[in-house]
Amino acid sequence: MNGYIEINQELCKGCEICIHFCPKNAIARSGKWNASGYIPAEFQDNGKCTGCAICATVCPDVAVEVYRD
């Protein structure tokens, strides 16, 4: 099963919890500042995302939406 995620850049505070817990290393820091002054996470489509939703489950800011094909 393939999946992908969308991270709301304005809700994300850059805590990196999703990055740490992603088993497929499909999330990284974006390198861009959001309007609140944080560097948010972003989805790195490496073709390995399964849509497991661990990232959305651990996100304290409810900034991650998961989609499965």
Side-chain angles (χ1 to χ4, degrees):
M1 181 181 304
N2 293 324
Y4 69 96
I5 65 170
E6 291 181 359
I7 300 173
N8 184 318
Q9 300 290 296
E10 296 308 317
L11 288 178
C12 179
K13 292 186 188 132
C15 69
E16 299 184 18
I17 294 172
C18 61
I19 295 170
H20 175 75
F21 279 94
C22 179
K24 302 297 183 179
N25 297 316
I27 308 170
R29 290 181 60 153
S30 72
K32 300 179 225 169
W33 301 87
N34 66 16
S36 298
Y38 298 108
I39 299 176
E42 72 177 2
F43 178 55
Q44 302 288 309
D45 190 1
N46 60 9
K48 296 180 182 178
C49 180
T50 61
C52 69
I54 293 172
C55 54
T57 303
V58 299
C59 179
D61 301 312
V62 193
V64 182
E65 291 187 27
V66 180
Y67 301 93
R68 295 183 186 118
D69 293 338

